[in-house]
């Protein structure tokens, strides 16, 4: 067992990170003790469960990381997931000069955090699309508990190969619709056959990623945008079709009805190059009403 202590030179709201992760029943964490167990797949598909625990505050963030294998690889991966190399002071300063200044002052140091794995993130957004949050998490939980594996009390998603081998009826029995079962299994098949290489999207831009991903049956623009935010941690995406963001926009800007997507895209230009952070601020305003 090894331990690594990490200090950040800027503010970082880890409590918000845990609040957001805590919506997912599959993630093992403790909000009071301020820790989360992170399932990682290392070289050669070796599994590791690393614990990240806050030992500091939002104003002076410090973390204690514990693990058993390959310290350097695990720490590097955690930096990617929690984006500990992104200076949130610069992000906050940017919003002070925009129409989101009041939200930024209320929710400073709000980070964009990546999902633990790209494939897991894609399965989750496909499963969750066009469903209410409660039922969406019920489906994704059933999916992982039936076909994934648990190690040290932490759930690992099933591999693309395993999901590709399933029959549609295997998911229908879990209350998946026929179409959603097809999207999950067929997309997993493309990944298993290396027809869809998720790692390749790190090398191309956001719009090109949307263009390529939306060629896959069952992946629309909303899914492609949300996957990039969650899986790649991209800073400048704004999912204008997201109902939650539309509701938050209506409340924050005092609108009588939901804004049009054209209005949202026009106004959101002033938040570039941090529109993903703007999305989080708006989502957070709904979470913490």
């Amino acid at each position: 067992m090894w331990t690594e202590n990490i200090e950040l030179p800027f503010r970082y709201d880890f409590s918000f990170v845990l609040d957001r992760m805590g919506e997912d029943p599959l993630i093992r964490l403790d909000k009071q003790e301020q820790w989360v167990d992170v399932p990682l797949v290392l070289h050669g598909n070796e599994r590791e469960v690393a614990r990240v625990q806050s030992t500091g505050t939002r104003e002076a963030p410090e973390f204690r990381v514990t693990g058993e294998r390959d310290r350097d690889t695990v720490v590097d991966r955690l930096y990617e997931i929690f984006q500990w190399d992104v200076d949130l002071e610069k992000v906050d300063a940017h919003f002070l000069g925009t129409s989101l200044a009041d939200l930024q002052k209320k929710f400073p140091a709000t980070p964009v955090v990546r999902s633990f794995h790209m494939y897991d993130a894609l399965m989750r957004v496909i499963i969750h699309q066009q469903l209410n949050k409660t039922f969406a998490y019920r489906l994704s939980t059933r999916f992982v508990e039936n076909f994934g594996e648990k190690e040290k009390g932490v759930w690992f998603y099933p591999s693309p190969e395993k999901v590709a081998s399933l029959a549609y009826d295997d998911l229908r029995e879990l209350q998946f619709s026929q179409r959603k079962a097809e999207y999950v299994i067929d997309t997993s098949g493309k990944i298993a056959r290396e027809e869809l290489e998720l790692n390749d999207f790190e090398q191309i831009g956001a719009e090109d990623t949307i263009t390529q991903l939306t060629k896959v049956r069952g992946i629309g623009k909303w899914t492609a945008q949300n996957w990039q935010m969650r899986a790649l941690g991209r800073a400048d995406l704004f999912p204008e079709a997201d109902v939650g963001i539309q509701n938050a926009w209506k409340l924050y800007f005092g609108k009588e009805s939901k804004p049009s997507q054209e209005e949202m895209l026009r106004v959101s230009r002033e938040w570039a190059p941090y529109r993903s952070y703007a999305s989080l601020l708006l989502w957070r305003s709904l979470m913490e009403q």
Side-chain angles (χ1 to χ4, degrees), residues 178-203:
Q178 176 66 28
R179 187 167 295 179
K180 196 172 291 288
E182 292 172 5
Y183 295 163
V184 166
I185 292 173
D186 294 353
T187 302
S188 296
K190 286 181 177 292
I191 294 170
R193 294 189 299 271
E194 299 183 353
E195 297 170 10
L196 181 63
E197 292 278 6
L198 298 182
N199 288 325
D200 289 350
F201 291 110
E202 291 196 278
Q203 311 304 320

Side-chain angles (χ1 to χ4, degrees), residues 88-116:
L88 295 178
E89 300 294 347
K90 292 182 179 179
V91 178
D92 286 350
H94 172 76
F95 285 114
L96 286 176
T98 73
S99 54
L100 286 186
D102 288 343
L103 271 188
Q104 185 280 321
K105 292 174 184 175
K106 185 176 182 180
F107 304 123
T110 297
V112 168
V113 173
R114 296 174 67 162
S115 296
F116 301 147

Side-chain angles (χ1 to χ4, degrees), residues 74-93:
V74 169
V75 171
D76 287 348
R77 183 69 186 117
L78 293 175
Y79 261 87
E80 292 176 355
I81 291 171
F82 293 99
Q83 302 224 72
W84 285 332
D85 56 352
V86 176
D87 187 345
L88 295 178
E89 300 294 347
K90 292 182 179 179
V91 178
D92 286 350

Side-chain angles (χ1 to χ4, degrees), residues 32-278:
Q32 184 174 352
E33 297 295 326
Q34 289 280 288
W35 58 258
V36 59
D37 284 341
V38 181
L40 299 172
V41 179
L42 307 179
H43 307 298
N45 291 322
E46 186 179 31
R47 290 176 179 169
E48 167 73 308
V49 175
R51 175 162 294 186
V52 176
Q53 183 167 22
S54 173
T55 55
T57 64
R58 185 183 68 184
E59 303 303 312
E62 298 180 15
F63 302 95
R64 181 172 60 247
V65 177
T66 54
E68 294 182 353
R69 304 177 180 89
D70 201 343
R71 176 200 296 249
D72 291 343
T73 299
V74 169
V75 171
D76 287 348
R77 183 69 186 117
L78 293 175
Y79 261 87
E80 292 176 355
I81 291 171
F82 293 99
Q83 302 224 72
W84 285 332
D85 56 352
V86 176
D87 187 345
L88 295 178
E89 300 294 347
K90 292 182 179 179
V91 178
D92 286 350
H94 172 76
F95 285 114
L96 286 176
T98 73
S99 54
L100 286 186
D102 288 343
L103 271 188
Q104 185 280 321
K105 292 174 184 175
K106 185 176 182 180
F107 304 123
T110 297
V112 168
V113 173
R114 296 174 67 162
S115 296
F116 301 147
H117 303 282
M118 291 187 187
Y119 171 72
D120 302 1
L122 185 58
M123 290 300 99
R124 188 162 54 249
V125 293
I126 290 175
I127 292 170
H128 284 213
Q129 60 191 3
Q130 297 182 329
L131 296 178
N132 69 66
K133 185 185 294 185
T134 300
F135 187 59
Y137 277 118
R138 189 178 304 154
L139 281 190
S140 55
T141 299
R142 289 172 181 170
F143 173 70
V144 176
E145 289 181 346
N146 277 271
F147 306 113
E149 294 183 26
K150 203 172 191 180
E151 188 165 318
K152 297 179 182 178
V154 177
W155 280 106
F156 284 75
Y157 269 65
S159 67
E161 292 76 14
K162 182 169 185 177
V163 177
S165 71
L166 300 175
Y168 299 141
D169 283 347
D170 292 330
L171 296 186
R172 294 281 286 144
E173 291 175 1
L174 305 181
Q175 288 190 291
F176 280 64
S177 68
Q178 176 66 28
R179 187 167 295 179
K180 196 172 291 288
E182 292 172 5
Y183 295 163
V184 166
I185 292 173
D186 294 353
T187 302
S188 296
K190 286 181 177 292
I191 294 170
R193 294 189 299 271
E194 299 183 353
E195 297 170 10
L196 181 63
E197 292 278 6
L198 298 182
N199 288 325
D200 289 350
F201 291 110
E202 291 196 278
Q203 311 304 320
I204 65 176
E207 291 303 318
D208 287 339
T209 297
I210 291 172
T211 298
Q212 292 192 30
L213 275 179
T214 51
K215 293 177 182 178
V216 178
R217 180 171 176 262
I219 297 180
K221 185 178 179 182
W222 178 91
T223 301
Q225 288 173 320
N226 277 274
W227 179 77
Q228 289 187 77
M229 289 176 62
R230 295 174 181 272
L232 303 180
R234 286 191 164 148
D236 196 32
L237 285 160
F238 192 76
E240 70 279 0
D242 188 275
V243 174
I245 290 181
Q246 292 173 357
N247 287 332
W249 186 296
K250 176 185 173 183
L251 290 173
Y252 178 69
F253 289 106
K255 301 284 186 178
E256 293 185 0
S257 58
K258 289 182 182 179
S260 67
Q261 293 184 25
E262 291 76 14
E263 176 189 357
M264 295 173 73
L265 287 173
R266 175 177 53 80
V267 174
S268 69
R269 292 191 189 106
E270 71 166 332
W271 305 330
Y274 297 121
R275 281 174 285 191
S276 297
Y277 292 87

